[in-house]
Amino acid sequence: MQLEDTSDSKKDDSFICGVVEGFYGRPWTLDQRKDLFVKLQEWGMNSYLYAPKDDYKHRAYWRELYSVEEAEHLTTLISASKECNITFIYALSPGLDITYSSPKEMVILKRKLDQVAQFGCTAFALLFDDIEAEMTESDKEAFQSFAQAQVSVTNEIYEYLNQPKEFLFCPTQYCASRAVPDVPNSEYLNTVGSKLAPGIDVMWTGPKVISRLITPASIDELAEVLRRKPVIWDNLHANDYDQKRLFLGPYSGRPSTLLTKLKGVLTNPNCEYGANFIAIHTVAQWSKCSIENLDENQGNDAVSAVSADIKLEQESRSGRSDDEDPSLPMLLYHPRLALKKSLQLWLPEFKRTKSMWGPISKPHVSNVPPVTFSSSGQSAVACSSTSSLEEGGTSPGSAPMPTADHSSSEDANELASDATLTPCLVDGTESAESASMVSLDRVAECLEPMETVESASSASSQAKNLDVEDVDDNDIKESPLKEEMPGAPDHEEGDIVMESERKEEEEDYQLGVDDLCLLCDLFYLPFEHGPQGMQLLQEFNWLKLNAHLVASNPSKPTAAGSPEVKEWHHRAEKFDAMSRALNRLFTRLTYINNRELLYELYPYVWDMRGVVALLNSYVKWLAFNQGSKQGFLTGEQEPWVFRGGLAADLQRLLPLESVNDLFLYKSPETPTRQVYTIRPYLASDERSVYELSRRLYIARLGAAYCDMEKTLHSYPNLLGDINFGAFLTLSPEFCFVVEDDHSVVGFVAAAANAKELQRQVRVAWIPEMQTKYAELFQSNSSEDANIPGPLKDLAAKLRKLHTEDLPDALLTYHPSQLKMLLSDTVIDHSVSKRLLTCAVAALRAHGSSGCHVYDVDVFSMEFYSRLGFVELKNVTHVEDVMYFGRIF
C-alpha cells in the first residue's frame, strides 16, 4: 500500500522518516531488514538508522574494523536499502572511551567510517548518548567543555566525509530531563547549537527518554537553542527495557503540527521485528497527514480529532465501518483510525508462510542495565543484575539510568488513588471523555516506563519473602507428586503445534481483525492500555471491590435478585466472556502460517492468557463462595503505575503481596495450544479428584506394589479420603481444580484456619471414617491378617489422621493448611504456580497470612520447595513429622 502524501509545502522536503534499529537484544535478520526496506518504500518512508547494540563494533569495540564476513553482510544490507530507495545511515558510538583530543583516535575513527563508506554507505551518525560527561586531562587542556570536544570531533568527521547530505549527531543531553539545568539554559546544548556545523542534524527523544507527549512548544524551545530543527529518535514503541511488555498501539502523543517543526522522525520500535507493523505503519500515516491551516485552527482540530477517536470507538462497538464515514475530520491524524487501517494491512502478514524452528526465546538480553528504586522510593540505583520482571535500558537511554528524585511512597500512593483515566489527545491536550488511557505522568511525573515506584509495603513483603528461591522453570524437576502414567506419551496429541496441523482454512480457526484489535489493546503503549485492556482492569477491579455485594452476611442478608447482585453477576459474566475471547485469540494464533510471527508473539499472548484466566478463576471463586469482604476494603492504590504492562497490572489487583515468585515462569519453548482451566471445586469433581489421587499413589509405588491397584479396588475412595476428603467436606470453598480439554489434571485443597479444620476433623470426619472403614480401625492392623499387606500402611495413616495437635509455633505465621497434586500430563510448568496462586489469593482474601503443608514426605519435598515453600524445622519436636510453609 502506497500512502498518499497530503502534507503541504510547509514540511521540509528532506524530512527524514523511518526506523532506527537501536535496541539491546537479538538483532533483526538480514531477511527481516530487507522486508523492512520494502515496507518503508511502500509506505513512503525514506530512512533506516543502523545502530544495533548486538554489533559490538558499533559501540563497545568501535575502533575495530569489520571482518570479511561482517563486511559482506553490511554491503548486502546497504545494497538492499538502495534498491528500495531507502537511505542507510550507519551510526557509530565512540563516546564510551574516546580521547577527543587524540590525533590517533581521529585516524582510527576515520578509518572505521572509511571502511563503511566502501560498503556503499553515504549517510552517517555519531552517537554520544549514555556516557559520562567527563574528559581526560589531555581533553580538558584541549577543549573548554565536554560539548566542545564532541562538536570538534563531529565537525572534523563531517568535513572529512565531504559533508554528507545526511549526517546525524546524538548529544549526551538528548532529552529535556537530561538537560542541565534545563533546555534553554543548558551550556552543553547551547554549545552544540552554536558550534555544530549547520548541515549536521541533531537527534532528540523529547521530554524524556520515552516521551508520552512531545509538544510543539517544547520543540520550538529546543530549536531555538540548537539553531536547527531536531530529528526525533522516538522510543515510544521500544520494549528492550521490560521483557513483559510489547507495544502494538498506534503512534500517538505527537501532534501533526510537529511536521513543520522537525527535520525528521526515526522510530526505535520493539525488539520483535514482526510485532512492529503497527508501530511503523502508523508513523508513516502520521508523517503523511495534512497540516494545512493547522496554525490557524489547531485548537478546533484537536477537539475534532478527539471527538473522532471517541466516535470511532463507539461505532466499532456497534459494528459500523469507520473508514468511510465522511463526517470524520481528515485534517488531523487519528491514532485509533490509523490503527484500524494498519490492522487491515497487518492481517495478511499472519497468513504468509514462514517457517521457524528451535525453542521460543524473547530477543531481549539479560544484561541490559536496569533501574531499581530503594524501598523509600526516593532514588534510583543502577544494578548489575536483572530478573525477568525487572529489566532496564533502551537507546538512547541504554546505559544505567542516572539517579532521579521521586516523590515519597505516601505521595505516590495518594496520587495513584486519585489518578483519573484520561486519554491523550492528538495535539497534546487531555479529556475525561474516554477511559482508554491512564495518565502515568500524573502518578509520577519524573518516571520513565522502565522505572517503578515501590511502596514501603512492597519492600517489606519482599523482605518477608527473602527465603523463597526464585525458580527458573527450566530447572524444575518432575515432581514425585505428579502422576506418571505407564506408557503415556510425553505430551497429549494435538498439544504441540506442528506446522502440518494448521487449520487456517477452517472458519473457527481463522484470525480476524477483531482478534488483532484485542491483541493490540492488550499490548498497547508505555503510558496507556488499549480500550479492551482498560476494560479488563476496570471490570476486575470493580468485581473485586464489590465482592461484598455477593458475600454471605447473616446479619445483613442481600436478596439474590437485587439489582446490585444482578449487576455483579452480569459483570462477572462479562469478564468471563473477555477471558474466552482471549482464549480464542490464543488458539487462533497457534494456527497461523507465519510461524516466525507466532514465535515472536506467543510468549506475550501465552502469559496474558494465563493471567486473565487466573483472574477469571478468582472471579468464579468469589461468585461460587458468595464473595468475601475481608481483604478487599483496604483502600489499596490503583495498580497501573508500575512496570510490567497490563499483565502485571492485572496481577497486582489480586489480594496478594509477597508471592511475586509465583508470577515468574517461562513460556513453553515450543508453541502449544493446550489451554488449562482453573476453577473452584464442585461436588461433582470428587470422583475425578479421588481417581487422580489413587493413580498418583500407584504410580509412585511403581513395580514394588504392582498388586496395589487390585487391592485398592475394594477401597476405591481410601486414598482420597485420607489426603483430601476432610478438605472437600469441611472446607470446599478453598479448593480448586485444573482441567484440560478432557478431565481434571490437578487439584489444590486448603483450609483458612487449620486449627479449626483439625477440630472439625476430630468431631465429624474421623467418626465418619471409623464407620466407613471399620475393619481398618481395628486395634492393631499390623497384626490383623484380614488386612492386605499393602493396605496396612494406609490403615495406620488413616488412624493417625489429625490425632496430634498442630504446634502453636506453626500456626503463628502459617495458620492455613494446604495440599496439592498435579498430573504429569500437564506440560505447562506455570500451571502449578497459577493453581497455588488461586488458593493463596482465596486464603489471603479471608485474612490468612501464610499456609503450611502437613506431614510432608520425601516424595513431595521437591515439589513444594519449587513452589516457594520452605521447611519449618523448629515448630515441632515430633521426629517423623515434617512441615513446609510459606508466608504471603
Side-chain angles (χ1 to χ4, degrees), residues 50 79 120 199 232 361 446 493 570 578 636 677 681 684 687 754 831:
Y50 176 87
S79 298
I232 296 297
S361 63
C446 56
E493 184 178 357
H570 172 73
M578 290 187 285
E636 294 177 301
T677 302
Y681 166 82
S684 57
R687 182 176 179 180
V831 171

Side-chain angles (χ1 to χ4, degrees), residues 828-883:
D828 185 344
H829 288 303
S830 71
V831 171
S832 59
K833 291 186 175 183
R834 299 187 198 276
L835 184 60
L836 178 59
T837 302
C838 283
V840 169
L843 293 172
R844 182 71 183 87
H846 277 259
S848 177
S849 58
C851 65
H852 68 268
V853 183
Y854 169 74
D855 199 14
V856 179
D857 56 35
V858 294
F859 296 99
S860 56
M861 289 173 58
E862 179 77 5
F863 178 74
Y864 286 114
S865 295
R866 294 294 181 179
L867 290 174
F869 287 81
V870 295
E871 184 180 356
L872 307 175
K873 297 181 179 180
N874 300 320
V875 297
T876 180
H877 298 292
V878 181
E879 294 183 359
D880 60 343
V881 176
M882 187 182 302
Y883 294 96

